[in-house]
Amino acid sequence: MLSAWQALSFLLVGAFWGCTNPFLKSGSKGVEQLKTDSVTPKWLSEIFFLLTRWQYVVPFAINQCGSLVYYLSLGDADISMAVPIANSTTFMWTALTQVALGEEAGNRYTLIGSVLVVVGVGLCVCSKLEDPSAAPMAEGIK
């Protein structure tokens, strides 16, 4: 069973991950144009470039906080619900953040798909939520 607290924690993970995606994208602008000399490998130059830009480091740190919440929440959660909730709400939060930032978030099919995913995950969550009124009965069966 999935508690309401667990469901909320995975929604929070989706928010951490999704809201930071557009900022990570904009913070990494310019990494493609890096030129390297023969001494420094390109991947090392890219890592240095990203780690020296606060526009990338701050969203990355927030994103990793989401990963920490995800890891801590997985301990006693139903994995068959944790992954769909976190990943699908990440998609939703990314689209909402892009719209809030004035970026193109996709066409009407993207919007329809997002709504369908959220409704589908909502139905799955509702079917797995613990019923507080059923708890005494479940204890009596043991």
Side-chain angles (χ1 to χ4, degrees), residues 43-130:
W43 64 269
L44 190 58
S45 297
E46 290 171 349
I47 290 173
F48 181 78
F49 175 83
L50 293 173
L51 291 180
T52 56
R53 293 178 50 93
W54 69 267
Q55 297 92 337
Y56 183 83
V57 173
V58 172
F60 182 75
I62 295 169
N63 185 290
Q64 293 308 298
C65 288
S67 297
L68 180 63
V69 172
Y70 184 71
Y71 175 76
L72 295 173
S73 301
L74 280 179
D76 56 347
D78 181 1
I79 193 75
S80 67
M81 292 306 303
V83 173
I85 294 170
N87 289 337
S88 64
T89 57
T90 297
F91 178 70
M92 177 196 69
W93 282 109
T94 299
L96 290 173
T97 304
Q98 286 175 324
V99 168
L101 294 174
E103 296 178 10
E104 177 92 20
N107 55 26
R108 66 179 176 178
Y109 296 114
T110 302
L111 176 63
I112 293 168
S114 298
V115 169
L116 289 174
V117 166
V118 170
V119 168
V121 170
L123 289 172
C124 290
V125 169
C126 288
S127 73
K128 296 274 189 169
L129 282 176
E130 292 176 354

